[in-house]
Amino acid sequence: MKRFKLLFMLICFSLFLHAEEKRQPVDYVNPLVGTMSKISLSTGNTYPAIAMPWGMNFWMPQTGKMGNGWAYTYDADKIRGFKQTHQPSPWINDCGQFSIMPVTGKPVFDEDNRASWFSHKAEVAKPYYYRVYLADHDVVTEIAPTERAAMFRFTFPENENSYVVVDAFDRGSYVKIIPEENKIIGYTTRNSGGVPQNFKNYFVVEFDKPFTYVAIVDDREIRKGDTEAKTYHAGGIIGFSTKKGEIIHARVASSFISPEQAELNLNRIRKR
């Protein structure tokens, strides 16, 4: 019996060493550390940035309302979207932010109505990868970043009414849906100061499945069938009929320079 226990311990130790050999230093980083903060008490004032080193943009799950500096807090239980951010810390202003959010059931745009309950038990956060289960929509969202873009993977349930919402935020934004190219383009001007007068963050989102539903959002008004809006708060909603476990990919890229540069950044991840 003692020999059996010793052999079992040696096998377990060997498997542990083998697993550790495959891990890289980045695997020991937990981006959620420091996110249980608020104005009155700081435990780090960080957010879970999913990003490449020195990347132009970061991605993050958004639990706070639009404009809230503490966009992700550990004690929150709902996610409103997955936001592209350029904010080093909640204490420093953000600029050029917009978000993406999968929903099911009906097309909704309001950030409170589209929000979904989530649990940290169904959340994986690494600097190079993020995964979470959105319980209200029965959708798994995964994100993998590059320096100027990101790859999203949505695993949908069986549903004739599966959607992805693109929110370009307020203070002046533009969204255009191009169904024949499975694409959404636009820009956001949302910022907290310190940017030039003509500041824009141009973005492009390309899907690998044709749209069965198209709607533009013009200051919270959802206009089914419309494909373009330039307004104070613009957004877009595209939809699909999905099978159980069907995966839909979205490539997202952006640029402070021009829409053409955003497309070039998108082309770089098409080749990967």
Side-chain angles (χ1 to χ4, degrees):
M1 190 68 179
K2 290 183 178 179
R3 290 182 179 179
F4 175 79
K5 288 183 178 180
L6 179 60
L7 179 60
F8 179 75
M9 291 175 61
L10 289 172
I11 291 173
C12 289
F13 185 66
S14 177
L15 291 173
F16 171 77
L17 290 177
H18 182 67
E20 288 296 297
E21 287 176 359
K22 293 184 178 181
R23 290 170 67 99
Q24 300 296 321
V26 71
D27 293 314
Y28 294 94
V29 178
N30 183 358
L32 301 181
V33 171
T35 61
M36 193 178 287
S37 295
K38 53 187 177 181
I39 293 176
S40 59
L41 179 63
S42 168
T43 63
N45 286 336
T46 63
Y47 62 87
I50 314 304
M52 297 289 288
W54 308 109
M56 190 205 78
N57 51 224
F58 302 159
W59 286 92
M60 62 175 296
Q62 180 185 353
T63 63
K65 289 192 174 185
M66 180 175 59
N68 186 337
W70 278 259
Y72 179 100
T73 52
Y74 193 82
D75 57 354
D77 57 14
K78 284 195 172 183
I79 287 177
R80 301 168 185 271
F82 300 92
K83 187 175 79 166
Q84 186 189 95
T85 178
H86 306 87
Q87 185 179 32
S89 161
W91 291 110
I92 300 175
N93 292 336
D94 203 351
C95 64
Q97 57 268 54
F98 66 97
S99 72
I100 296 173
M101 180 68 177
V103 299
T104 57
K106 62 179 181 179
V108 290
F109 184 73
D110 179 83
E111 64 177 341
D112 290 329
N113 293 334
R114 74 188 184 218
S116 172
W117 182 87
F118 80 105
S119 168
H120 296 299
K121 294 179 180 179
E123 182 184 39
V124 176
K126 299 288 183 182
Y128 55 85
Y129 173 77
Y130 182 82
R131 182 182 188 273
V132 71
Y133 174 64
L134 302 173
D136 288 290
H137 303 302
D138 194 18
V139 175
V140 174
T141 296
E142 298 170 272
I143 309 171
T146 71
E147 292 87 348
R148 289 170 174 79
M151 173 71 83
F152 279 74
R153 183 163 63 187
F154 305 110
T155 303
F156 281 96
E158 183 174 355
N159 201 312
E160 293 184 359
N161 303 296
S162 296
Y163 305 96
V164 176
V165 177
V166 175
D167 188 344
F169 286 12
D170 58 11
R171 301 184 186 177
S173 48
Y174 169 74
V175 170
K176 181 179 180 180
I177 303 172
I178 310 173
E180 59 271 19
E181 298 181 24
N182 304 335
K183 186 183 292 184
I184 300 175
I185 63 173
Y187 64 74
T188 174
T189 66
R190 173 85 188 192
N191 69 86
S192 302
V195 298
Q197 289 186 348
N198 63 344
F199 170 80
K200 291 182 178 69
N201 183 30
Y202 300 93
F203 61 80
V204 54
V205 188
E206 184 181 69
F207 297 86
D208 63 353
K209 185 179 176 72
F211 309 151
T212 57
Y213 175 94
V214 170
I216 213 73
V217 181
D218 186 345
D219 290 339
R220 298 182 180 273
E221 178 188 357
I222 298 176
R223 303 203 309 254
K224 182 181 178 180
D226 285 359
T227 58
E228 189 172 12
K230 182 180 179 181
T231 183
Y232 180 75
H233 189 173
I237 305 174
I238 51 90
F240 320 90
S241 174
T242 56
K243 300 176 183 177
K244 183 178 180 180
E246 182 171 356
I247 293 173
I248 294 177
H249 295 92
R251 295 181 175 90
V252 187
S254 64
S255 168
F256 289 138
I257 299 172
S258 67
E260 292 79 13
Q261 183 62 50
E263 287 281 354
L264 287 173
N265 293 337
L266 185 72
N267 287 334
R268 292 191 177 103
I269 61 171
R270 279 201 194 103
K271 297 174 182 178
R272 296 190 178 192

